Amino acid sequence: MMWGCVTDFFTYETTKSVVVKSWTVGIINRVVQVFIFSYFVGWVFIHEKAYQVTENSVESSVMTKVKGFGYHNNYVMDVADYVIPQQGAAIFCILTKVIITENQFQGKCPEYSKKYSCVEDEDCVQHIDKILSNGVITGVCLNSTIGDKIVGRCESEGWCPAENDHVEITPMLDVINFTIFIKNSVRFPLFDVTRGNFLSTMSREEIMNCNYHPVDSPFCPIFNVGDILNYTNQDLATLANKGGEIGINIQWKCNLDYDIENCVPRYSFTRLDKPFEKNAISNGYNFRFAKYYMTENGTEFRTLHKAYAIRFDVMVTGKAGKFDTIPTLINVVAAFTSIGLGTVLCDIILLNCLKGAKQYKARKFEEVSDAQIEASLAQSPVSQLSLKGGIKSSYDSGAISLATSDQAM
Amino acid sequence: MMWGCVTDFFTYETTKSVVVKSWTVGIINRVVQVFIFSYFVGWVFIHEKAYQVTENSVESSVMTKVKGFGYHNNYVMDVADYVIPQQGAAIFCILTKVIITENQFQGKCPEYSKKYSCVEDEDCVQHIDKILSNGVITGVCLNSTIGDKIVGRCESEGWCPAENDHVEITPMLDVINFTIFIKNSVRFPLFDVTRGNFLSTMSREEIMNCNYHPVDSPFCPIFNVGDILNYTNQDLATLANKGGEIGINIQWKCNLDYDIENCVPRYSFTRLDKPFEKNAISNGYNFRFAKYYMTENGTEFRTLHKAYAIRFDVMVTGKAGKFDTIPTLINVVAAFTSIGLGTVLCDIILLNCLKGAKQYKARKFEEVSDAQIEASLAQSPVSQLSLKGGIKSSYDSGAISLATSDQAM
Amino acid sequence: MMWGCVTDFFTYETTKSVVVKSWTVGIINRVVQVFIFSYFVGWVFIHEKAYQVTENSVESSVMTKVKGFGYHNNYVMDVADYVIPQQGAAIFCILTKVIITENQFQGKCPEYSKKYSCVEDEDCVQHIDKILSNGVITGVCLNSTIGDKIVGRCESEGWCPAENDHVEITPMLDVINFTIFIKNSVRFPLFDVTRGNFLSTMSREEIMNCNYHPVDSPFCPIFNVGDILNYTNQDLATLANKGGEIGINIQWKCNLDYDIENCVPRYSFTRLDKPFEKNAISNGYNFRFAKYYMTENGTEFRTLHKAYAIRFDVMVTGKAGKFDTIPTLINVVAAFTSIGLGTVLCDIILLNCLKGAKQYKARKFEEVSDAQIEASLAQSPVSQLSLKGGIKSSYDSGAISLATSDQAM
């Protein structure tokens, strides 16, 4: 009994096949198989590299350094003056135009803008609690000297005098000659691979004296601001006057199945406010900051700066792929199974369209009906004999019939 | 010979099937198939969109601008005063309470806190090399006037006088009326799709005058701080007094198979220090910064600010999906194969549970044993005849038997 | 007719199998199946957790706080002095050496460096438009007192006097005793799981008084700078003198099928400029910033700081996995199909290598050739009888033959 089970277990089941020696179906069969096979090899495996596990999230650290001098308001500005924040961050601004309101003290004073013109106090009540003024509107109308005229303006409380940001100032166009040095190191945590954006073959001198060019010098980490504006089709005068946001994208696309030295960065440049073109809003980029001073007697005062700036966002994206058994297996399995799909097509042709379809059907399908089984059960002894060939396998356990089905998959 | 190979190659093999005309198994078979089919169509394909390739990493650029005025310590603070850093970054702080220690010069002076009370020098030795003081503890005990009493305090070297951060200051509650404007542009590198967080149908006026509301105005980029506190169930007084961290999440979930205009942001708000609730530590958010001044004779001094702030982190997450052949194929293959799993169940029922199971087994399985083969080999000429039907295929190459197995998958 | 269709539809087709009772093939078959099965269970499912859907992109918020005092240039520096930016960002710098150029006013003055030595104006023309000077080179040669000698130096316009950054300054080595406190909260958007980097079992006192150690105290959020330098094998003196970039990596690897309390951070430390070792460039990290002052009569002047700093980048990466039906299904299907691959091997052995291979082939393959079909069609009545068993199934629709193929997959 035990022995029988063991014998039954160590059997091998394979599907019984009908071999159709027909040129029509034979050729269709092979052509479909070749077609599916090429698709998998060519597209899925070679082009899409489905045998690799890929990692999209990259750990990145960016250090930047700007160099250059510019004239603004008869001042020579250097890095410490025009770069904010100063510590070499991945997102930094180069100030191109600064509207300065000097010597602001806390107090009450008239607003500057025409919007706040008034004749009597009632005119100012509507502006109370609005946030676009220079300070808290008190609801009082004051006389104010603007240029050489005396006009009525609502009073506001805060830093005085109020800012006038409608002055015309020539932006610092020298920004076109500035250079940006970018140091970027990335790590793919999944593969524990670390890379830097200088080729290891570049010497110190090469790196210090190069200038990025997409074709001639694609791995140079020094970028000329003028070039970047060109790549993004920006007009210097407009950008310097209104400010703007430019993205410097560093893309790492690494095939770690090859030599690690082929894992190099690719730089691209975009204007970040491009998606907002359709809205007529917020062209440009500006912000306000203040420098604080103290008088001899200890009163604080400040100089307000409304700064128009070109903001550079260095954004790093990475994708690394490496051979891995699991995606390979899944895709190989999908490939083989898809090749099996050819059978569906051929079966339809064979069993429906070919001359002799009925005969093929008769050979492919063997029919057992309830009626037959009932009949054979009734005339038991004889039928048992006639079915003799298969009777022994009637001791097959469920496990075996499961295995059969596995193979059928 | 060659011709024979070619003929053999262009054959078509299909599995031989047993068609069971039984209502029981037939119905079970179809029901299982329908069930699996619906699961794949409904859940895997329609709900989970398994036919798409998805991208989780998004390239994002965020610009922010805060507006509003607040009273603090009889000062009117504006953006340049209370926003740090000032350049409109994705992570910014709005100061709500500032404890100011004025006119600090380098020197030696007594500590302020009771913790450093002393009678003689020995009492101060324990504090040497500790880092929670205001300066380097020298180990000397000094007399210090605190309020109107003279008490002993350990001497520390550094910026003097020492900070007293236990004063009660009314925080700037006006923060509730401030507004935050957020400009966000994202790019999905895989699909090279760029989007901005304003609808392209919104005009300049609409954008400038709207106020975000989750239902009425879900695409407005201007957020009221008071509303944000409401959405996160924060108490203004506590938050302004102790500081805190609030996350503004912009979620992009884009189905790129539809019109790109449906790819819109969804905003949500969370209190970021929520995971630390169980620890009684670090509720709140504060940091220290200094403003530096110079006396007439060139000595530097500073005003130390201990600033309690609400920090806003604008965090952008994105997920985009687009139809792609590879995941579609893999899932279609999985679907078909799973439908084949129905066979396993039906086979078990057919071969074990049905009346006439033995007969079905006999029809499904054809048995060949070593003994039979040996016997047929022994009485060679006769057996060859009886097996004649299959003999020609004995010239089949390995390639063909491989193909057979493919179909069997 | 209708009824016939229904009867045909509710049939069940199963492949006809040949059961080979041979020890050789039986054992090979089972061994291969066991091997493939173990691979899937052990590697794919248990080790690689292929039954989980994983999320790699994590939403993270980092807050840092540095504590400690250091002596630099006879000053005691505290947090407000040496941390930039001050607001507790994820990327922050601790200044370790600062070269100060005091009292710079806008004007014209000689350069400092030997590189700009000149005898007459012509010597300076070459330097015009170069950006490594301290200001805009005017092309004039001036006499300059350096130390106690009078030498010729090119004139530059900008902030004067020019910076001399070749002075020897002792860096602030006390940095070794500083501590960094890190608060990190993360969210996995896909699963909407939020975690913080303190264990919920840690009390306020435990957190405040602990010190991170990879083995003894792996969840303490307070890091000693000296320890971090040790973990990254950095030399304090070199790093403090030249500056450098250190990465603090917080890695979240969460199996959300287990208790959420097991989802804890793991800290690691790296020197970020490691990938640039081969290039002799840019060891170290420095940047320039200025503090602005005003004279009594309203002229602005500044103190330029060239700051060498250790920059810390807190980088957070996360990976969370959770059971999901779709990857489970795909991998289960791949597993079953791969087990079916065993059949390929066994078929090759059975049909080519075993004694009696011809006989096995004869039993597995049933051949139908065009010739046979033609013949049977010619002598129609008789053949119909001889094929009687299969004729009824000739009414099978295409749908059924498709279903057959599904099962065959």
Side-chain angles (χ1 to χ4, degrees), chain B residues 126-137:
Chain B
Q126 50 165 326
H127 297 299
I128 291 179
D129 285 338
K130 292 288 158 56
I131 54 173
L132 296 173
S133 52
N134 277 288
V136 179
I137 299 292

Side-chain angles (χ1 to χ4, degrees), chain A residues 98-329:
Chain A
V98 185
I99 296 172
I100 292 175
T101 311
E102 286 184 315
N103 299 329
Q104 286 191 322
F105 286 84
Q106 283 280 324
K108 292 181 181 181
C109 55
E111 280 284 335
Y112 192 90
S113 159
K114 237 181 201 159
K115 210 175 131 189
Y116 297 97
S117 62
C118 57
V119 177
E120 44 184 15
D121 290 359
E122 276 89 87
D123 299 339
C124 293
V125 174
Q126 51 165 326
H127 295 301
I128 290 178
D129 284 339
K130 293 288 159 54
I131 54 173
L132 296 173
S133 53
N134 277 288
V136 180
I137 300 292
T138 58
V140 176
C141 186
L142 290 183
N143 283 333
S144 167
T145 314
I146 288 179
D148 48 2
K149 284 181 290 179
I150 294 184
V151 291
R153 287 285 187 271
C154 296
E155 185 192 54
S156 78
E157 190 183 353
W159 292 100
C160 285
E163 181 193 56
N164 167 22
D165 61 357
H166 290 285
V167 291
E168 284 292 317
I169 288 183
T170 314
M172 181 176 68
L173 298 177
D174 309 278
V175 72
I176 203 170
N177 296 318
F178 292 1
T179 59
I180 300 169
F181 168 75
I182 297 176
K183 209 164 95 177
N184 172 224
S185 65
V186 293
R187 197 174 79 96
F188 292 100
L190 188 60
F191 309 113
D192 200 18
V193 163
T194 309
R195 295 293 293 160
N197 69 329
F198 313 157
L199 293 189
S200 61
T201 52
M202 289 173 90
S203 72
R204 188 184 154 80
E205 276 65 39
E206 277 181 282
I207 294 173
M208 294 304 271
N209 297 311
C210 70
N211 187 13
Y212 172 82
H213 186 276
V215 178
D216 300 338
S217 182
F219 302 120
C220 173
I222 296 180
F223 302 85
N224 184 284
V225 172
D227 291 347
I228 293 178
L229 299 191
N230 277 343
Y231 300 142
T232 52
N233 293 318
Q234 295 304 307
D235 173 50
L236 173 68
T238 320
L239 202 66
N241 196 45
K242 286 280 180 189
E245 295 168 84
I246 285 178
I248 301 178
N249 193 283
I250 308 183
Q251 205 181 340
W252 293 87
K253 217 173 189 172
C254 295
N255 186 338
L256 299 179
D257 293 331
Y258 297 146
D259 185 27
I260 190 82
E261 291 299 322
N262 293 318
C263 179
V264 290
R266 231 164 51 88
Y267 301 93
S268 57
F269 309 90
T270 44
R271 170 128 197 202
L272 289 173
D273 33 17
K274 216 184 151 195
F276 306 107
E277 272 175 343
K278 284 188 189 169
N279 316 96
I281 198 192
S282 282
N283 298 319
Y285 181 73
N286 64 70
F287 58 90
R288 284 183 177 83
F289 67 93
K291 289 177 187 168
Y292 296 87
Y293 306 102
M294 204 174 271
T295 60
E296 269 172 87
N297 51 31
T299 312
E300 201 181 22
F301 66 102
R302 69 174 198 183
T303 304
L304 179 65
H305 296 66
K306 180 174 183 179
Y308 292 86
I310 306 179
R311 174 171 137 169
F312 292 90
D313 283 32
V314 181
M315 293 178 293
V316 180
T317 50
K319 193 180 167 184
K322 200 175 187 177
F323 171 80
D324 189 77
T325 49
I326 295 176
T328 306
L329 211 88

Side-chain angles (χ1 to χ4, degrees), chain C residues 132-158:
Chain C
L132 296 173
S133 53
N134 277 288
V136 180
I137 299 292
T138 57
V140 175
C141 186
L142 289 183
N143 283 334
S144 168
T145 315
I146 288 178
D148 48 2
K149 284 181 289 177
I150 294 183
V151 290
R153 287 286 185 271
C154 296
E155 184 193 53
S156 79
E157 191 183 352

Side-chain angles (χ1 to χ4, degrees), chain C residues 96 171-177 225-226 229-230 233-243 310:
Chain C
T96 51
M172 181 176 68
L173 298 178
D174 309 277
V175 72
I176 204 169
N177 295 319
V225 172
L229 299 193
N230 276 344
N233 295 320
Q234 295 305 307
D235 174 50
L236 172 69
T238 320
L239 202 65
N241 197 44
K242 286 279 180 188
I310 306 179

